[in-house]
Amino acid sequence: MSSRVDRPSKTSHTNTPEHVSKHGGSLSILMIGSILAMIFAASTAYSGMKAGLTVAAGIPGAIIGSGLVRVFANQKGIYGKNLIQGMSSGGESIASGMIYVLPAIIIIGEKINFWSGLLVGVLGALFSVGVTSLVENYLIVEEDGKLAFPESQAITEALTSSEYGGESLKFMGIGFGSGGVITALTTQVFGWINSVIKLVGSESYQWQFSSEVNPMLAGIGFVVGPKVALTMFVGTFFANFAITPLISYFTHLAGDSVTLWSDASVILNQMTVEQVASDFTKYIGAGMMLCGGLIGALKLIPTIITSIKKTLGARKSGEETASRLGSTLLLASTVLTFVAGFILSNNLIITIVTAVLALILSMMFIIVNARFAGTIGCSNAPVSGMTIASLVVMTLVFVVSGWKSTAHVTLLLLVGTFIVTAISVGGAYTQTQKVTYLIDGSRNEMMKYFTIATIIGVVVSVGIMKLLEPQLAMTGVNAPFGLPQANLIATLTSGIMSGELPWIMIIVGIALALVLWLLDLPIMTIAIGFYLPISTTSIILIGSAVRWIIELITKDKEVLGERVQNGISLSSGLIAGGSIIGLIGIILNVTGILPEKTPMGALATNGAAGVLMLVLLLSMFLPLLSVRKRK
């Protein structure tokens, strides 16, 4: 049975006029889509580097796009709205990929070169669109009814339901306002109120608990739901209340002359709980993530073989083949990848080896991620696992070849940025084109708008990372950005290159990951929780608890559906408001326009943070409880 929705005529699509053509583009649509691509790229880059999680922009883009089209370009109808949500996804997909690898350059002690980051990001995006254009007809048309494309179906519902856009846009606005105000009150902007509840255990049992009152993270928790949030927190709980106290116990038994493995100036028995977590526990988490990524990649081998076989055997006729633009992008990006490799390395042998490996690995995982868009959706695709597997292969090749200098590590990370960008864009592009197919839109036109959005996303994402370099370089438990994937990649690549990786901790992490695998538990989700600070995962868990309580107390199924859907819209607003206002605050602090301030007196206590937490929870609960059954 076909998965293609039973669509009413074009005249009934959210009051779309009869004369509207599926070629719904215009300057107004391009401007609106470009602005949203910038906003979602900035928001995703900020929130992803903070929490290690991102939220797909398709549905929020469809909601906001519906409202903006009504105001500024109503004559473009559903096709204009579709182009806007596609551009939103294009900008977001760039940020959700690049944040995994590019910040690792800062972590190894180097600085991001804006033009190098821009070059590899744009080439990765163009190559991905070109490759995916070869397989999109097979995945979207020929596999219609076999591949569910769950997120594409949800975005289509958002576009075709007139009431959905208005109601959801209202809740998104509420979330943006409350999230922005709460963020502005904290140290992220004005610094008036303490936003971290923190408790630390005694020397005999060294533990710590903290929770940050962060609207953005609470919104992410509501969206991912209790199961994912609780699974992640299990990893954090294990790290903070079992592994770190255990290591701390043994470090305090060491003699006064025993120093830290990575720094001879640090006496082992004088280490704080934060130092133990940073220099021991996090490497166990790195081993867990490495093992999880490799297991995930091995599981993909049958999918890779199946996808490539079916793609090569797919029918080709008319619009079923790649468009001329897609073929042009593929050819141009392939040639330019070799040119860029020589510019960055200034060595012909290194250029050929890295370019060939990068193109092969990228093409393989682009196809896999495009298929994932049809099975589990982009939000759940294991992009980080595919990236880790690719970079381990690349790193081993570099080591065998003797390319071990800092410049070589930087080049390796730039190549990794190309790969992860290509993988991320491949899933988002396929998902977007499925929506276009479901509403009978023009896929060739969507390709043009989506490609423009990816270029905008690269500029914004690299620019934000460059702007936040001082904050991204901070390490330790109190670092403003968690960067779990980038930290892992920096640790693995530089450690393997130098031979100074603390393999005992890595092996312990691998062993723990194998136990999780044997128990059929989600390794990467638990490992990310193990790696992230408890202040981050605890507020994500609290945000998911709001959803759990709403689902528990709402007995009417129709009302429950409305509340959850509006809750996701409100959470999208919290994420956008918290990340955008937080980013503006950092820009004002960095430029000196707004000097950094620390809360004073009673406003600096755990009690003040607790009151702020209550305000955040009420701002989520009360609007959702007001949703009643429609008459």
Side-chain angles (χ1 to χ4, degrees):
M1 184 174 178
S2 174
S3 67
R4 199 171 189 178
V5 295
D6 295 327
R7 295 180 300 280
S9 64
K10 292 185 179 68
T11 58
S12 64
H13 278 318
T14 58
N15 300 321
T16 302
E18 292 184 13
H19 65 272
V20 170
S21 165
K22 68 172 63 179
H23 299 280
S26 68
L27 181 60
S28 59
I29 296 296
L30 180 61
M31 291 177 63
I32 294 170
S34 298
I35 292 170
L36 289 183
M38 294 172 63
I39 291 173
F40 279 109
S43 175
T44 300
Y46 184 89
S47 61
M49 290 188 295
K50 186 85 173 174
L53 296 172
T54 60
V55 176
I59 293 178
I63 295 169
I64 298 174
S66 296
L68 293 176
V69 166
R70 285 197 190 98
V71 176
F72 297 106
N74 193 41
Q75 72 278 11
K76 300 300 177 182
I78 192 171
Y79 304 114
K81 299 173 187 177
N82 181 45
L83 291 175
I84 289 174
Q85 73 81 19
M87 293 188 74
S88 301
S89 294
E92 178 271 334
S93 66
I94 291 292
S96 64
M98 295 189 83
I99 59 171
Y100 286 158
V101 182
L102 195 59
I105 294 176
I106 302 172
I107 295 170
I108 65 171
E110 298 297 307
K111 291 186 178 296
I112 293 176
N113 182 291
F114 177 82
W115 298 109
S116 298
L118 184 66
L119 181 62
V120 296
V122 169
L123 287 178
L126 298 183
F127 181 73
S128 183
V129 173
V131 170
T132 315
S133 68
L134 298 176
V135 302
E136 70 173 77
N137 189 76
Y138 167 71
L139 295 174
I140 292 171
V141 180
E142 295 190 27
E143 291 287 277
D144 186 37
K146 299 176 184 177
L147 296 178
F149 282 94
E151 292 180 352
S152 297
Q153 297 280 5
I155 295 169
T156 303
E157 289 297 322
L159 291 173
T160 56
S161 174
S162 59
E163 293 182 357
Y164 183 103
E167 186 76 1
S168 295
L169 189 62
K170 180 184 78 173
F171 278 90
M172 186 176 289
I174 293 172
F176 189 96
S178 58
V181 170
I182 292 173
T183 302
L185 294 174
T186 67
T187 52
Q188 295 186 62
V189 185
F190 295 113
W192 292 334
I193 303 177
N194 172 43
S195 60
V196 179
I197 302 170
K198 187 173 183 179
L199 302 170
V200 180
S202 64
E203 289 188 5
S204 59
Y205 176 63
Q206 286 200 321
W207 60 272
Q208 63 174 341
F209 173 82
S210 59
S211 185
E212 181 182 3
V213 186
N214 191 313
M216 176 189 72
L217 300 179
I220 289 176
F222 190 100
V223 172
V224 301
K227 184 176 180 180
V228 172
L230 185 59
T231 303
M232 185 185 302
F233 189 77
V234 165
T236 307
F237 187 87
F238 185 50
N240 284 269
F241 293 93
I243 298 298
T244 298
L246 182 63
I247 296 175
S248 297
Y249 173 77
F250 287 113
T251 57
H252 279 73
L253 296 178
D256 294 336
S257 61
V258 182
T259 59
L260 181 63
W261 64 271
S262 59
D263 188 350
S265 64
V266 178
I267 307 300
L268 210 59
N269 60 19
Q270 296 177 9
M271 293 181 69
T272 64
V273 63
E274 289 88 355
Q275 289 175 312
V276 170
S278 177
D279 290 294
F280 289 97
T281 309
K282 85 167 189 176
Y283 288 99
I284 297 175
M288 293 173 67
M289 292 176 71
L290 171 62
C291 185
L294 292 177
I295 288 175
L298 291 174
K299 286 182 177 179
L300 293 177
I301 290 177
T303 305
I304 294 170
I305 296 173
T306 301
S307 297
I308 293 176
K309 280 184 177 179
K310 289 188 175 181
T311 300
L312 292 176
R315 298 190 303 271
K316 297 180 180 179
S317 62
E319 197 180 9
E320 294 178 358
T321 60
S323 71
R324 183 175 299 176
L325 174 61
S327 301
T328 302
L329 291 177
L330 178 58
L331 178 61
S333 59
T334 300
V335 173
L336 290 175
T337 297
F338 284 91
V339 175
F342 187 76
I343 293 173
L344 296 174
S345 68
N346 198 28
N347 183 298
L348 184 59
I349 301 299
I350 294 178
T351 297
I352 294 173
V353 172
T354 55
V356 170
L357 273 175
L359 292 172
I360 291 174
L361 290 169
S362 296
M363 179 176 288
M364 180 174 66
F365 285 124
I366 286 168
I367 294 173
V368 171
N369 202 34
R371 192 171 187 87
F372 271 132
T375 54
I376 61 176
C378 292
S379 299
N380 300 308
V383 174
S384 58
M386 292 184 275
T387 304
I388 291 168
S390 300
L391 270 171
V392 167
V393 172
M394 296 287 296
T395 304
L396 292 175
V397 170
F398 270 53
V399 170
V400 171
S401 303
W403 305 329
K404 300 181 182 180
S405 69
T406 303
H408 289 132
V409 177
T410 302
L411 175 63
L412 179 64
L413 294 175
L414 286 172
V415 175
T417 302
F418 172 93
I419 294 172
V420 72
T421 302
I423 295 172
S424 180
V425 169
Y429 176 73
T430 309
Q431 177 172 283
T432 298
Q433 288 290 46
K434 182 65 175 183
V435 176
T436 306
Y437 168 74
L438 290 173
I439 66 166
D440 283 329
S442 169
R443 285 191 278 146
N444 283 334
E445 187 168 31
M446 175 58 81
M447 179 186 291
K448 299 173 186 176
Y449 279 72
F450 186 93
T451 302
I452 293 171
T454 60
I455 296 173
I456 293 171
V458 172
V459 175
V460 172
S461 300
V462 178
I464 286 176
M465 292 180 209
K466 186 67 180 173
L467 177 68
L468 299 180
E469 268 187 334
Q471 286 76 22
L472 297 178
M474 295 179 184
T475 59
V477 176
N478 296 320
F481 292 93
L483 296 172
Q485 294 92 347
N487 267 295
L488 168 66
I489 287 168
T491 300
L492 290 176
T493 52
S494 59
I496 293 173
M497 289 279 204
S498 64
E500 296 178 354
L501 203 63
W503 284 108
I504 293 178
M505 272 81 78
I506 298 292
I507 293 171
V508 169
I510 292 172
L512 289 174
L514 290 174
V515 171
L516 296 176
W517 175 61
L518 291 172
L519 293 174
D520 198 25
L521 295 172
I523 302 172
M524 289 300 288
T525 306
I526 295 175
I528 288 176
F530 195 99
Y531 201 95
L532 285 171
I534 194 169
S535 60
T536 296
T537 55
S538 59
I539 185 61
I540 292 175
L541 181 64
I542 290 170
S544 72
V546 173
R547 178 169 178 168
W548 177 73
I549 293 172
I550 290 291
E551 293 175 345
L552 186 66
I553 65 176
T554 307
K555 304 302 181 183
D556 189 286
K557 290 185 178 180
E558 183 179 337
V559 176
L560 176 60
E562 292 285 333
R563 286 179 173 177
V564 170
Q565 187 58 64
N566 288 326
I568 292 174
S569 299
L570 187 145
S571 299
S572 299
L574 287 172
I575 295 167
S579 57
I580 296 298
I581 299 302
L583 181 59
I584 291 173
I586 288 179
I587 293 172
L588 293 176
N589 289 329
V590 169
T591 56
I593 297 175
L594 184 67
E596 294 188 29
K597 292 184 178 180
T598 328
M600 304 293 290
L603 295 179
T605 63
N606 281 343
V611 172
L612 196 64
M613 178 74 79
L614 179 61
V615 172
L616 172 60
L617 294 177
L618 290 177
S619 71
M620 297 177 71
F621 269 115
L622 295 181
L624 296 180
L625 292 178
S626 68
V627 176
R628 296 286 186 267
K629 192 170 184 178
R630 293 180 182 178
K631 295 181 180 180

